[in-house]
Amino acid sequence: MPPTVSTGADVVAPIRVPLIAWLLAVVALGVVYLLLQENGLVTTGQIAAYLHEFTHDGRHALGVPCH
Amino acid sequence: MTTPTLGGILRRGALAGVAAGVVASVVAFAVVEPVIARALAVEEARSAGTPAEEPLVGRAMQVAGGMVAAVAVAVCLALVLAVVFATVRHRLPARTDFGRAVLLAFLGFVSFSLVPALKYPANPPAVGDPDTVGARTAQYLSLIAAGVAIAWLAVLVRQVLVERGWSAPLAVTGGVLAGVAGYLALMLIWPGGTVEIPADVPARLIWDFRVASLAELTAMWATMGAVLGLLLTPRTGGPAARADGSTSATGL
């Protein structure tokens, strides 16, 4: 066993998470919103209707409020 | 103990999301879709006699769409889970990354899926009033946001208790009690559901659908946490790794 191995103490170094990583998370949440929640707030017309119908089973199955 | 890099966590998160999505879509196909088919039969019986509209998306495409949506949602949620994991890793009360990943996924499941499912249970097609969908969506999303805040509060309570010299089990118990109390308060405070169940929809169908929906969500989060944790576990086997003593079988 190399001498540098820690003793398993509860000291854990924080990981630096830059803003760009949080922007990625926000974009990911935005996609979830579009797929599951969107009811005409962002998209309109034919695209909205198609997206809604295509993911309709998924919405209900994942427990999201639907009409 | 080695510290994983942010990029490494994100890559593993994406993989865990794919695995969780595949498992969830299999549950969707095998468990949820048969119940949706029963609900659609109710809808059809309701509109019997009126000329059928040409559907925008066919049934086969909707089934496929439900499975695609499950995969896409799981990948996105897993990326969020990975970013949050990197941010709060040093605050999570577990000794290994496997334990931390499973714990964080559990908190995500409770906040994002279990508490909303208990307060506003899932409904199959054939149930629901289009006029109230905006209000119901606002209630649902605000409950999720508050649920995430409660999870964060529970982790903080445990940390404060540790800093005050409480033993590890007592501090964890304090955090769990704070979290449970917080979630119960949310359930009581948030406005009640506005969904009327139509008389022609059997109670058995509603129950089966809610259980099936929760099964899909549970499968998704469980897979996400376990796979992320496994991928973060160093692949060192043999006596040298065991002698380290910093890893345990479950990490919890």
Side-chain angles (χ1 to χ4, degrees):
Chain A
M1 185 163 64
T4 50
V5 167
S6 83
T7 55
D10 281 325
V11 181
V12 181
I15 298 169
R16 210 181 72 79
V17 179
L19 188 62
I20 186 88
W22 277 98
L23 289 179
L24 172 76
V26 170
V27 169
L29 281 180
V31 174
V32 173
Y33 175 87
L34 269 179
L35 288 173
L36 295 184
Q37 306 285 348
E38 171 66 357
N39 288 302
L41 197 67
V42 181
T43 57
T44 48
Q46 198 67 11
I47 296 171
Y50 189 82
L51 182 71
H52 185 102
E53 287 305 315
F54 182 67
T55 62
H56 197 256
D57 280 26
R59 285 174 184 230
H60 281 279
L62 292 168
V64 168
C66 205
H67 59 252
Chain B
M1 177 183 298
T2 54
T3 303
T5 63
L6 176 62
I9 294 173
L10 285 174
R11 273 196 305 279
R12 290 168 173 86
L15 274 175
V18 172
V22 169
V23 170
S25 64
V26 168
V27 175
F29 184 77
V31 179
V32 184
E33 283 300 341
V35 190
I36 290 184
R38 280 156 60 195
L40 294 180
V42 172
E43 269 190 334
E44 252 169 54
R46 206 180 279 169
S47 62
T50 56
E53 291 175 47
E54 184 63 31
L56 193 61
V57 177
R59 269 312 292 156
M61 278 295 278
Q62 280 192 320
V63 173
M67 297 173 75
V68 170
V71 174
V73 165
V75 169
C76 288
L77 288 180
L79 285 175
V80 177
L81 185 77
V83 173
V84 174
F85 179 88
T87 307
V88 303
R89 177 175 174 268
H90 58 290
R91 295 179 190 275
L92 292 172
R95 214 171 297 144
T96 64
D97 281 329
F98 183 84
R100 294 186 193 102
V102 169
L103 172 63
L104 192 64
F106 177 74
L107 292 176
F109 165 71
V110 173
S111 304
F112 262 79
S113 297
L114 182 61
V115 168
L118 293 177
K119 180 71 187 177
Y120 306 119
N123 285 312
V127 173
D129 177 0
D131 293 338
T132 63
V133 72
R136 283 185 284 127
T137 300
Q139 290 168 353
Y140 176 88
L141 290 181
S142 60
L143 181 65
I144 289 177
V148 171
I150 294 293
W152 178 237
L153 182 85
V155 172
L156 277 189
V157 164
R158 175 259 168 196
Q159 196 175 337
V160 167
L161 294 180
V162 165
E163 282 161 11
R164 290 193 170 189
W166 289 40
S167 73
L170 278 179
V172 168
T173 305
V176 168
L177 285 179
V180 169
Y183 285 124
L184 280 177
L186 289 190
M187 302 280 286
L188 294 174
I189 293 168
W190 247 246
T194 53
V195 177
E196 295 266 334
I197 306 295
D200 59 349
V201 182
R204 183 61 196 245
L205 171 56
I206 300 289
W207 172 257
D208 287 350
F209 186 79
R210 289 172 179 177
V211 172
S213 166
L214 201 51
E216 179 177 340
L217 289 166
T218 307
M220 186 184 77
W221 283 104
T223 308
M224 206 187 292
V227 172
L228 178 63
L230 281 177
L231 292 175
L232 284 166
T233 303
R235 264 159 301 213
T236 48
R242 259 180 260 127
D244 178 17
S246 66
T247 50
S248 63
T250 64
L252 292 167

